[in-house]
Amino acid sequence: MALPPKTDEAFLREVDEELRRDKLAGFWTNWGIWVAIGVVAALAALAGFLYWQHHNGETAGVEGEQLQAAYDSLGANNAAAASKPLAELAKSNRDGYRALAMFTQADILLQKDDLKGAAAKLGTIAADSSLAKPFRDLALVRQTSAEFDTLKPQVIVERLRPLAVPGGPWLGSAGEMVAISYLRMNQRQQAGTLFGQIARDTVVPETIRQRAVQMAGVLGVDAVASTGPTAGTPTPVASNEDTKAQ
């Protein structure tokens, strides 16, 4: 006997729902434990991240207090009290605190006229590839300044020439050392050109610019003019020494 249409549709729906229940039951039988493990792992990872974030924030706060305490001790002329927190911060996993602590340690050594120790400390910063480039560049410039009298001029030029470029943040300090090194190697033209570039760069500190203007003039480079189509390019000026050389 044929089923009435409505009864047939209800039967088919019931069979379809039963099949779905069977498939769902089979899925949980085969994969339920793995789904549960995945959920637990995800919750554990989230909890771990939140804990790390909280712990990281707390540790950063502690290190900030340590650095401030060290600066307070230095402000009170008590370098001995600052040595311990600075030594701990110099091993920090946070780049900023580590760099600041090591720079401060180098400053203390410089105040004691320990140029060799300060240069070594600054060299460690300059060689730390995990630090941002501005930190490393600053350390390299200051390291070279501490070692300036003991280094060969060629070493100074090779080390600092990439930083002694017009428009760069280190043109004044790095450029002056490079220019003096050129003079020591009797490369007067290169020295005069670089002194002229330093003198014309308005970002360079005024004291360095004034020295550069004087040195450029001595070397026959006009570094005073700042207008016109050739502004920014040192103009050679004939000197008695250059005339004799010709």
Side-chain angles (χ1 to χ4, degrees):
M1 179 182 296
L3 295 173
K6 293 184 180 181
T7 304
D8 185 48
E9 290 177 4
F11 175 74
L12 291 176
R13 281 198 301 270
E14 183 178 349
V15 170
D16 186 57
E17 291 176 0
E18 187 65 28
L19 288 174
R20 290 180 181 178
R21 284 194 292 269
D22 290 343
K23 288 181 179 180
L24 184 60
F27 172 82
W28 282 108
T29 300
N30 295 326
W31 303 102
I33 188 171
W34 297 108
V35 172
I37 291 173
V39 171
V40 172
L43 291 174
L46 177 61
F49 171 76
L50 293 176
Y51 172 77
W52 173 84
Q53 194 174 43
H54 174 71
H55 176 72
N56 196 46
E58 285 189 340
T59 305
V62 171
E63 291 185 344
E65 293 175 358
Q66 286 180 314
L67 186 62
Q68 185 60 53
Y71 286 160
D72 290 343
S73 297
L74 292 174
N77 295 320
N78 189 355
S83 61
K84 183 177 180 180
L86 288 175
E88 293 176 355
L89 290 171
K91 301 176 183 178
S92 173
N93 293 326
R94 291 170 181 78
D95 296 345
Y97 286 124
R98 184 170 72 255
L100 288 174
M102 295 180 71
F103 272 120
T104 305
Q105 288 177 321
D107 288 337
I108 293 173
L109 292 172
L110 287 172
Q111 290 177 357
K112 296 178 180 179
D113 291 328
D114 185 357
L115 299 181
K116 185 176 181 180
K121 184 69 65 175
L122 292 166
T124 300
I125 301 173
D128 189 347
S129 59
S130 66
L131 293 175
K133 193 173 185 299
F135 282 131
R136 291 184 281 119
D137 289 346
L138 173 60
L140 184 62
V141 171
R142 296 191 61 192
Q143 176 193 3
T144 306
S145 177
E147 297 176 324
F148 188 80
D149 292 333
T150 62
L151 293 176
K152 293 182 178 181
Q154 185 63 40
V155 173
I156 297 173
V157 170
E158 292 176 354
R159 181 185 289 182
L160 295 182
R161 185 163 49 194
L163 301 180
V165 294
W170 313 110
L171 175 62
S173 51
E176 189 174 42
M177 286 188 280
V178 171
I180 293 172
S181 298
Y182 279 140
L183 282 178
R184 290 181 174 182
M185 294 188 293
N186 201 31
Q187 297 180 12
R188 296 173 61 84
Q189 182 177 357
Q190 291 92 326
T193 298
L194 186 50
F195 275 127
Q197 291 172 341
I198 296 171
R200 292 171 181 272
D201 193 320
T202 57
V203 179
V204 172
E206 185 63 25
T207 54
I208 298 180
R209 291 180 63 200
Q210 290 177 356
R211 291 198 299 267
V213 169
Q214 294 174 355
M215 292 301 299
V218 170
L219 294 169
V221 174
D222 180 10
V224 177
S226 59
T227 59
T230 59
T233 302
T235 303
V237 177
S239 64
N240 293 334
E241 184 174 346
D242 292 337
T243 303
K244 292 179 182 178
Q246 294 176 355

